[in-house]
């Protein structure tokens, strides 16, 4: 209720009464949170009069609820409820940012922040903290734990030999995992160099954590090299290169 009705009772029926200079028997007074209103009640009996001063105060609002809590993408772990303070939000591996917006339930409450952009790396979790301070000073904190999915990128960006004279066959493509290299009979070695497509992935060549390998072959020998990329999410892709020397 934003106000109250004041109804003074005269001691004598033949007396005249005014409320704030108007002849009234009652008056409704609207009072905002944290404010006060003064009323003057005057009673006249003949030539005599008596004045009463009334001050009506309304307490400050203690409403520190949110009316809404909204992500720009994705869905909170449960529908928003002002009584529930903790939420989670999962982003897919390709979504690197989300705007969290909040609106206070009461006009006199202060929300900090009203909106904020969160940027996340793959596999990272950040917590959005929203404070709602009521007019009275009472504070409530809402939290959203935002998690971006780990990267599943297990591709190579590049794979090559050290010479155009004995290239990969077919030409490198991230989606193709099988290649051959044929050395001239006069060439006894080839160096393979690989680069992962995603910075969070791990790359191994024949089980060793390295980005290049020199392969030495005798005439008539064939050697198979396996390059494995393990994505941040744990999935793997293995590229196989069969190297031959006639």
């Amino acid at each position: 209720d934003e106000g109250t009705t004041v109804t003074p009772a005269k001691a004598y029926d033949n007396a005249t009464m005014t409320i704030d200079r108007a002849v009234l028997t009652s008056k409704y007074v609207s009072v905002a949170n944290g404010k006060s209103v003064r009323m003057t009640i005057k009673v006249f009996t003949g030539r005599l009069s008596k004045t009463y001063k009334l001050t009506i105060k309304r307490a400050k609002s203690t409403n520190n609820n949110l009316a809404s809590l909204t992500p720009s993408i994705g869905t909170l772990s449960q529908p928003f409820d002002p009584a529930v303070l903790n939420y989670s939000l999962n982003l897919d591996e390709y979504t690197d940012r989300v705007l969290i917006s909040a609106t206070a339930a009461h006009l006199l409450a202060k929300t900090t922040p009203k909106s904020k952009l969160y940027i996340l790396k793959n596999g990272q979790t950040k917590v959005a903290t929203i404070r709602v301070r009521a007019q009275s000073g009472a504070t409530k904190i809402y939290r959203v734990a935002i998690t971006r999915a780990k990267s599943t990128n297990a591709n190579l960006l590049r794979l090559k030999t050290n010479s155009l004279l004995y290239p990969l066959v077919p030409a490198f493509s991230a989606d193709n995992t099988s290649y051959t290299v044929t050395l001239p009979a006069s060439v006894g070695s080839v160096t393979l160099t690989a680069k992962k497509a995603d910075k969070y992935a791990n790359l191994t060549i024949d089980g060793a954590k390295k980005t290049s390998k020199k392969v030495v072959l005798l005439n008539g020998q064939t050697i198979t090299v396996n390059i494995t990329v393990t994505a941040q999410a744990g999935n793997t892709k293995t590229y196989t290169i069969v190297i031959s020397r006639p």
Side-chain angles (χ1 to χ4, degrees):
D1 189 3
E2 294 184 353
T4 186
T5 299
V6 177
T7 305
K10 297 183 293 182
Y12 302 101
D13 290 338
N14 63 344
T16 302
M17 180 175 66
T18 62
I19 303 176
D20 293 334
R21 297 185 179 182
V23 178
L24 299 170
T25 57
S26 67
K27 183 177 181 179
Y28 178 80
V29 182
S30 179
V31 187
N33 285 108
K35 301 294 183 179
S36 62
V37 173
R38 295 192 68 185
M39 295 182 66
T40 301
I41 303 164
K42 200 166 187 178
V43 181
F44 300 87
T45 305
R47 294 183 179 183
L48 301 176
S49 66
K50 194 169 187 177
T51 301
Y52 299 85
K53 299 288 186 181
L54 176 64
T55 300
I56 303 170
K57 295 181 178 180
R58 185 178 179 189
K60 291 183 177 181
S61 170
T62 59
N63 189 337
N64 55 10
N65 289 325
L66 281 180
S68 66
L69 181 59
T70 310
S72 60
I73 191 169
T75 305
L76 294 177
S77 52
Q78 70 166 72
F80 174 71
D81 182 337
V84 177
L85 303 182
N86 295 295
Y87 300 84
S88 60
L89 174 66
N90 294 321
L91 305 179
D92 63 39
E93 65 176 298
Y94 306 106
T95 302
D96 68 347
R97 62 195 63 203
V98 61
L99 182 72
I100 302 293
S101 301
T103 304
H106 197 283
L107 286 174
L108 296 176
K110 183 178 180 181
T111 304
T112 309
K114 292 182 179 180
S115 65
K116 185 175 178 179
L117 182 67
Y118 295 86
I119 301 175
L120 296 90
K121 301 175 182 177
N122 286 106
Q124 186 178 22
T125 296
K126 288 186 177 181
V127 178
T129 302
I130 300 96
R131 289 178 171 82
V132 187
R133 187 176 187 273
Q135 184 191 31
S136 66
T139 300
K140 183 179 284 186
I141 298 176
Y142 293 83
R143 292 182 175 88
V144 182
I146 309 165
T147 302
R148 182 182 174 188
K150 292 181 178 181
S151 171
T152 60
N153 189 341
N155 289 329
L156 283 179
L157 177 66
R158 184 166 56 248
L159 176 61
K160 64 180 182 178
T161 69
N162 60 315
S163 175
L164 295 176
L165 297 177
Y166 31 93
L168 294 172
V169 178
F172 173 72
S173 168
D175 294 330
N176 184 19
T177 57
S178 298
Y179 300 89
T180 61
V181 175
T182 303
L183 299 181
S186 59
V187 176
S189 68
V190 61
T191 298
L192 295 174
T193 302
K195 183 176 181 179
K196 60 190 181 182
D198 190 274
K199 64 181 180 179
Y200 300 112
N202 289 315
L203 186 152
T204 60
I205 301 180
D206 288 336
K209 193 171 183 180
K210 56 173 69 175
T211 58
S212 66
K213 182 175 182 177
K214 183 177 181 179
V215 183
V216 179
L217 297 89
L218 300 174
N219 288 105
Q221 188 177 15
T222 297
I223 293 177
T224 299
V225 175
N226 291 306
I227 300 175
T228 300
V229 184
T230 303
Q232 184 188 35
N235 54 296
T236 63
K237 180 183 282 190
T238 298
Y239 295 81
T240 300
I241 304 94
V242 178
I243 307 168
S244 301
R245 181 185 178 191

